[in-house]
Amino acid sequence: MLPSIISVLFFLLYAVNAVPMAPRASASALSGLDTKSFSKTKDYPLPNLGNIVAHDPNILQYDGYFYLYKGGVHIPIHRARNLSGPWEQVGTVLDDSSVIPKQNRSRPWAPTTIQHDNRFYCFYAISENGSRDSAIGVASSDTPVGGNWTDHGAVVNTGKGDLSDIYPYSVSNAIDGAFITDQETGQSHLLYGSYWHGIFSVPLADDLLSVKTPKTPNATNLAYIPDAKSKPIEGSFMTYKEPYYYLWFSHGKCCHFDIHAFPPMGDEYSIRVGRSESATGPFMDKDGHDTLKGGGTIVYGSNHGVVYAPGGVGVLINNGSDADVLYYHYLNTTFGFAQGDAHLGWNYLHYVNGWPVAVEGYVHANGK
């Protein structure tokens, strides 16, 4: 009990000295909490606080600002000079519901916004819990703020919709879109996938608004768990840091927790990675296990008894004096476990023999 109390006190002191915290949940709301499922490991550092509620955050750096996109009504956009805020809302990506004729059109999930050839593209997901009737849509703009975005509709459909009967759409779930450009060929790829048959990559057309050769997509399965009944991998993200491409993803249960019966410790969300010298793999973890066979090295997981189920991962690659940044959402066990309790957290990354490690505090890009 004493180590748990010390961990909580340490986290609260840390948070007070960083940025303001969200209101703490009432004692009655968290009564009977299943605390035995909270990892107290100190193998991972406490997060730097983002000071904003966000689930599946996506961050873009542009013109001296950090722009944050998150799931919600019409895809809210916030910006700040620093990752710790303060954040101001600067519009939404969509002016109205998505043009994709599927459920939850007004509240897209898990956006990923990128800058490409002086234009901004936001890939977003339309879906509902437990359904494979999903789509990855795309909107584009000449500015990262709201007010001038064009919704181009679906890039990929699964379950129902145009070309949804074609492999890999026939076996996969079109949520959690991400983006990477092959450094050698210049070919852009859309990554997507959740549960079902894992994470896929498909080449995009030059305008990024559709899949290249849409009726015969040259798809690659990047990560999968073939031998388990539940296949909880999703939320992929890919980065390049010479000579490797890093495939990041979330593994485990993300949300909708029963506070009286959490999943066994380690079955909640954690952030994992594999690497390859090719944008299409194969990706191996630090122990040589293929991500297509359930592999993936844990880079960040629940810790100190207060950080729970981190996921929705993204990475900012910095080529200047700052180190790369790992960012994610997480739940604080002293606040609550609802979707709206997820907050932005972030840590600098250090690479040890080419493998990313989340570190505490500030790290120079050339630090050892």
Side-chain angles (χ1 to χ4, degrees), residues 100-143:
I100 300 172
K102 294 194 177 189
Q103 67 287 321
N104 290 342
R105 294 191 301 130
S106 67
R107 299 182 65 89
W109 294 356
T112 290
T113 301
I114 56 104
Q115 184 183 8
H116 186 80
D117 291 341
N118 298 315
R119 194 162 177 82
F120 299 88
Y121 297 83
C122 179
F123 297 92
Y124 63 86
I126 298 294
S127 190
E128 65 180 352
N129 292 330
S131 172
R132 204 173 66 81
D133 183 17
S134 310
I136 302 290
V138 64
S140 69
S141 174
D142 58 5
T143 174

Side-chain angles (χ1 to χ4, degrees), residues 10-350:
F10 176 75
F11 184 84
L12 291 174
L13 288 170
Y14 166 85
V16 167
N17 288 321
V19 292
M21 300 174 71
R24 182 172 178 174
S26 66
S28 60
L30 297 180
S31 62
L33 199 63
D34 175 25
T35 59
K36 68 180 184 299
S37 297
F38 300 156
S39 174
K40 298 178 177 60
T41 183
K42 297 180 182 179
D43 290 345
Y44 314 110
L46 290 165
N48 296 310
L49 304 182
N51 198 29
I52 187 171
V53 172
H55 196 274
D56 291 331
N58 170 244
I59 299 176
L60 170 75
Q61 286 181 272
Y62 177 73
D63 196 24
Y65 283 97
F66 294 96
Y67 287 86
L68 184 145
Y69 304 80
K70 61 178 183 175
V73 176
H74 303 160
I75 312 175
I77 308 170
H78 292 76
R79 74 177 179 185
R81 291 290 188 182
N82 299 292
L83 284 171
S84 294
W87 298 89
E88 62 169 334
Q89 185 162 354
V90 289
T92 58
V93 170
L94 303 181
D95 295 328
D96 204 340
S97 296
S98 168
V99 298
I100 300 172
K102 294 194 177 189
Q103 67 287 321
N104 290 342
R105 294 191 301 130
S106 67
R107 299 182 65 89
W109 294 356
T112 290
T113 301
I114 56 104
Q115 184 183 8
H116 186 80
D117 291 341
N118 298 315
R119 194 162 177 82
F120 299 88
Y121 297 83
C122 179
F123 297 92
Y124 63 86
I126 298 294
S127 190
E128 65 180 352
N129 292 330
S131 172
R132 204 173 66 81
D133 183 17
S134 310
I136 302 290
V138 64
S140 69
S141 174
D142 58 5
T143 174
V145 300
N148 196 34
W149 291 81
T150 300
D151 187 1
H152 302 282
V155 180
V156 169
N157 282 294
T158 59
K160 299 178 184 177
D162 190 33
L163 302 181
S164 61
D165 59 337
I166 293 174
Y167 180 88
Y169 316 134
S170 57
V171 298
S172 56
N173 187 23
I175 70 168
D176 296 349
F179 179 89
I180 191 68
T181 297
D182 190 302
Q183 299 294 306
E184 183 175 344
T185 67
Q187 175 64 58
S188 297
H189 296 263
L190 172 70
L191 282 68
Y192 76 90
S194 172
Y195 283 73
W196 279 273
H197 214 286
I199 296 164
F200 281 88
S201 169
V202 289
L204 289 171
D206 290 343
D207 63 4
L208 308 188
L209 303 181
S210 62
V211 174
K212 190 175 183 179
T213 61
K215 294 185 177 180
T216 55
N218 185 21
T220 305
N221 202 182
L222 302 178
Y224 183 45
I225 309 175
D227 300 323
K229 182 177 181 180
S230 178
K231 307 178 188 301
I233 53 174
E234 56 187 6
S236 63
F237 197 86
M238 192 176 289
T239 55
Y240 178 75
K241 194 173 184 70
E242 191 176 9
Y244 297 112
Y245 294 88
Y246 293 88
L247 174 64
W248 304 81
F249 55 92
S250 300
H251 178 285
K253 183 176 175 63
C254 74
C255 38
H256 308 296
F257 294 108
D258 178 351
I259 66 169
H260 305 299
F262 286 99
M265 188 185 301
D267 284 358
E268 76 280 6
Y269 249 13
S270 62
I271 296 169
R272 306 192 180 197
V273 74
R275 74 181 189 190
S276 173
E277 293 189 12
S278 167
T280 54
F283 288 87
M284 302 293 177
D285 67 16
K286 190 175 181 179
D287 296 320
H289 299 140
D290 194 327
T291 58
L292 275 173
K293 297 179 180 178
T297 297
I298 301 176
V299 178
Y300 197 74
S302 301
N303 61 80
H304 290 82
V306 288
V307 175
Y308 189 70
V313 58
V315 177
L316 293 170
I317 298 293
N318 289 293
N319 297 314
S321 60
D322 286 345
D324 296 348
V325 171
L326 174 74
Y327 64 86
Y328 46 86
H329 72 247
Y330 72 99
L331 296 167
N332 184 315
T333 62
T334 69
F335 292 167
F337 300 88
Q339 196 92 337
D341 293 321
H343 278 69
L344 172 68
W346 60 276
N347 295 90
Y348 288 110
L349 287 173
H350 183 194

